[in-house]
Amino acid sequence: MSEESIMSTNDDATSAKRWAVDKGYWSDPFIRFFCSSMRKVHKPPIINRGYFTRVFTIWSMATRFSEKCEGNCNIVNIGAGFDTLYWRMKSKDVGFAQLVEVDLEIVVDRKKNIISKSKALTEQTGEDYTLIAADLRNDEDIENILTSVNDASLPTLIISECVLVYMKPEASHHLMERFCNGFPSSLWLDYEPINSTDSFGKMMISNLKRRGCELPGMQSSPTIHAHAQRFQDAGYKFVSAMDMNGAYALVPDDEKKRLNMVEFMDEFEEWNLINRHYCVATACNDERGYKLDDAEELKQGAEVEQDATKEVVEPKPEKTINPNSLASLIF
């Protein structure tokens, strides 16, 4: 991907989140520093709810992980882009020893510049925050990530959102192996697109290619099972994966009612279809016996996994779905 494509995907995701936050889907007082109100782009309810499910899932896991470890843990966010998790956790007094964000140099330089110009961000940014540039396909850069963590023996939550899909299978496998060995007690939370072989998945890939985005990692893990298997192949002991319909099923009912008050949505066929083209996986490696695999989300995820692997049912022919609806959630 070109530098322009990289920044475009980052800016698209940030703009979509800013729109959803302003609509009231979730609270993020820091997103405005990374995307002005003039740059946000209108998104339909189906996309806003998709981003909500993604953000809710990651926030729930991060806060539960912190609680389980009593704040004595690391968080490593690879491909972090303009994510605001660090400041949101700090503002809510969710503890951690260190949070490391990783992205390509062009993204990191822009993020550093934004942080340095914002008093609100700099005042809340401490020594427990590390922002480094790295190419995840480069072994030396992977080593720099590992050494940037002050105490890798602590329980470590690794977060990746649509990162592995941009890597060739051999490169992502090497990254997972290095992290599995480098963080002996870790939990990896990963969000990726799946089901690229049906007509809707093919449409998504074609649409992204037109925007200069290649997805070399998608063909090697087209299903939930294949996606989970590659974590096991890299050495992780406990792996659970489900599509985003399964993830949304874990959202509390009162929160779903609140979403309906925020913005009405009636495209349920399209919603279910889109959710079946994305999955979230958790992979655990717990050499030091912190019992990380006892996390409630993992238990629930394992229960949902069976239902989430059902055959994809495409919408009726008269239903028309904009390919951008599917593609925009990949960033």
Side-chain angles (χ1 to χ4, degrees):
M1 289 176 62
S2 66
E3 290 190 350
E4 291 77 13
S5 295
I6 292 167
M7 285 312 310
S8 176
T9 60
N10 175 73
D11 292 345
D12 284 351
T14 308
S15 173
K17 289 179 179 178
R18 173 68 194 264
W19 178 268
V21 167
D22 286 355
K23 293 290 288 186
Y25 277 84
W26 69 91
S27 175
D28 183 353
F30 307 101
I31 191 72
R32 63 188 177 92
F33 298 110
F34 298 97
C35 179
S36 70
S37 59
M38 297 296 292
R39 288 175 53 219
K40 66 181 183 181
V41 179
H42 176 275
K43 296 292 183 182
I46 197 169
I47 296 302
N48 296 329
R49 197 166 295 205
Y51 268 103
F52 165 83
T53 308
R54 177 173 166 179
V55 171
F56 180 89
T57 300
I58 293 170
W59 175 258
S60 297
M61 180 62 81
T63 53
R64 291 222 178 200
F65 190 85
S66 171
E67 291 171 5
K68 185 173 184 63
C69 301
E70 298 180 343
N72 195 27
C73 60
N74 302 312
I75 299 175
V76 178
N77 191 348
I78 60 175
F82 286 176
D83 193 81
T84 60
L85 181 64
Y86 171 82
W87 295 280
R88 284 184 285 131
M89 293 184 75
K90 294 284 283 189
S91 68
K92 297 294 185 181
D93 293 321
V94 181
F96 50 85
Q98 185 183 7
L99 192 150
V100 178
E101 289 189 334
V102 182
D103 214 310
L104 294 172
E105 187 174 9
I106 184 176
V107 179
V108 168
D109 286 347
R110 270 188 60 186
K111 191 166 191 175
K112 285 181 177 179
N113 185 52
I114 292 171
I115 294 171
S116 68
K117 292 181 178 179
S118 170
K119 183 178 180 181
L121 293 177
T122 54
E123 286 182 344
Q124 297 191 56
T125 304
E127 295 183 357
D128 54 358
Y129 177 70
T130 305
L131 176 59
I132 60 174
D135 185 337
L136 299 174
R137 300 164 296 183
N138 185 295
D139 194 57
E140 184 176 336
D141 284 3
I142 295 175
E143 183 63 27
N144 289 339
I145 296 171
L146 294 171
T147 57
S148 72
V149 178
N150 298 328
D151 187 356
S153 68
L154 291 178
T156 300
L157 175 64
I158 302 163
I159 299 172
S160 57
E161 300 178 64
C162 296
V163 172
L164 304 181
V165 71
Y166 290 113
M167 303 173 67
K168 291 182 179 179
E170 57 270 21
S172 59
H173 178 78
H174 179 69
L175 174 68
M176 288 186 281
E177 275 192 328
R178 290 296 308 274
F179 276 17
C180 185
N181 294 324
F183 300 114
S185 290
S186 58
L187 184 66
W188 193 319
L189 176 62
D190 182 48
Y191 169 87
E192 302 285 347
I194 54 172
N195 289 328
S196 62
T197 56
D198 64 23
S199 61
F200 205 38
K202 291 176 181 177
M203 179 175 61
M204 176 190 67
I205 292 177
S206 176
N207 189 53
L208 286 166
K209 282 184 176 180
R210 287 196 296 270
R211 300 182 63 180
C213 300
E214 298 289 339
L215 307 177
M218 194 164 181
Q219 298 297 335
S220 63
S221 54
T223 65
I224 293 174
H225 175 76
H227 191 64
Q229 185 63 49
R230 64 177 175 175
F231 281 98
Q232 291 181 323
D233 292 342
Y236 286 90
K237 303 289 177 28
F238 184 96
V239 179
S240 176
M242 56 183 162
D243 70 15
M244 295 309 289
N245 282 320
Y248 187 69
L250 302 181
V251 175
D253 289 340
D254 59 346
E255 190 68 359
K256 292 176 182 175
K257 292 178 181 178
R258 185 187 69 81
L259 293 179
N260 288 331
M261 296 294 292
V262 169
E263 194 171 34
F264 178 71
M265 185 188 79
D266 61 358
E267 309 113 317
F268 294 109
E269 281 188 67
E270 295 90 337
W271 165 250
N272 289 328
L273 178 65
I274 289 177
N275 281 343
R276 287 198 177 279
H277 285 80
Y278 293 88
C279 78
V280 59
T282 49
C284 183
N285 180 40
D286 195 9
E287 296 294 333
R288 296 183 180 272
Y290 287 106
K291 297 183 178 179
L292 301 181
D293 59 340
D294 286 347
E296 186 65 21
E297 283 84 358
L298 290 178
K299 292 180 179 179
Q300 292 174 317
E303 293 169 1
V304 175
E305 183 177 1
Q306 290 284 339
D307 182 63
T309 56
K310 288 181 180 177
E311 181 183 359
V312 174
V313 178
E314 301 207 27
K316 298 175 182 178
E318 62 269 20
K319 288 284 187 178
T320 301
I321 304 176
N322 188 334
N324 288 315
S325 296
L326 185 58
S328 62
L329 281 169
I330 200 169
F331 304 130

